[in-house]
Amino acid sequence: MAAFQMPRLSRWLLLFLALPLVRGCEPPDCDRPDCGTCGNACCNMQYVFGTVSPVDLYSRLSQSLSAGGPDQHYQFIGGADFRPHHFATQFMLQGQHMLVNRYNETIYFNIYNAPDASFGTIVQCFSISQMTGTLCDQGQNYKNIAALIKAMGIPFYQNTLRGCATLPMP
């Protein structure tokens, strides 16, 4: 029995109609794509804030996530205060970024004092795509983190730890 073949025009029409559903990262901050570094697309960043305490950063990030974040597509999942346990990590947060097309990413934050107190507070952020088989994210995992960090309006230094590498522009 012959396999069903969709007419060429129908294939193009189907692709054209499906494009809005699979639209990727919308600029700005989409210039740091990852293609499966963590088995799925991911981004692991470190931010150093010189003038803000871990308590203040935890408060700002959790409030931003709870309010929907800069694009109203974020959600606060939970947080933990580790100060009573005397760990280097003082706070951890978990959030989610939910796109209209149901592509979700989970974001984790680890907040602690810099080893040298004069450097302030460090936040390690990790975002990973939740859809199985997300090979390339078009920069969405980096954008998830960068949008939240930049929206706080606090000067910072950033360092890429894993995934979402800076790519040379053509």
Side-chain angles (χ1 to χ4, degrees):
M1 182 171 196
F4 173 76
Q5 287 193 348
M6 186 181 291
R8 181 179 297 212
L9 180 60
S10 296
R11 287 187 297 220
W12 284 108
L13 182 60
L14 183 61
L15 177 64
F16 177 75
L17 292 173
L19 278 176
L21 299 175
V22 296
R23 182 178 60 211
C25 186
E26 293 184 21
D29 295 320
C30 296
D31 57 341
R32 308 279 301 270
D34 183 67
C35 290
T37 298
C38 302
N40 235 17
C42 71
C43 182
N44 191 3
M45 298 294 297
Q46 180 182 67
Y47 293 88
V48 179
F49 297 88
T51 59
V52 183
S53 72
V55 173
D56 190 27
L57 278 175
Y58 175 81
S59 176
R60 289 177 186 230
L61 284 169
S62 59
Q63 287 175 6
S64 181
L65 288 166
S66 294
D71 69 358
Q72 300 303 303
H73 292 282
Y74 289 85
Q75 179 181 8
F76 178 74
I77 303 297
D81 182 348
F82 290 98
R83 291 175 298 169
H85 306 290
H86 306 288
F87 294 135
T89 293
Q90 293 192 11
F91 298 97
M92 293 180 84
L93 282 164
Q94 182 181 7
Q96 187 172 33
H97 187 254
M98 302 160 294
L99 294 172
V100 176
N101 55 13
R102 298 187 341 180
Y103 293 130
N104 298 334
E105 294 88 22
T106 301
I107 311 165
Y108 302 92
F109 301 89
N110 183 344
I111 304 169
Y112 54 95
N113 281 317
D116 179 343
S118 65
F119 287 109
T121 300
I122 296 175
V123 179
Q124 281 195 21
C125 310
F126 179 77
S127 178
I128 189 163
S129 299
Q130 292 304 306
M131 184 173 160
T132 302
T134 304
L135 181 59
C136 292
D137 66 359
Q138 299 179 346
Q140 186 64 51
N141 281 296
Y142 173 74
K143 180 181 176 121
N144 293 341
I145 296 168
L148 282 168
I149 297 296
K150 290 178 178 181
M152 290 190 296
I154 306 167
F156 61 83
Y157 296 98
Q158 73 176 13
N159 183 33
T160 304
L161 300 177
R162 185 169 176 91
C164 59
T166 304
L167 299 177
M169 297 303 286

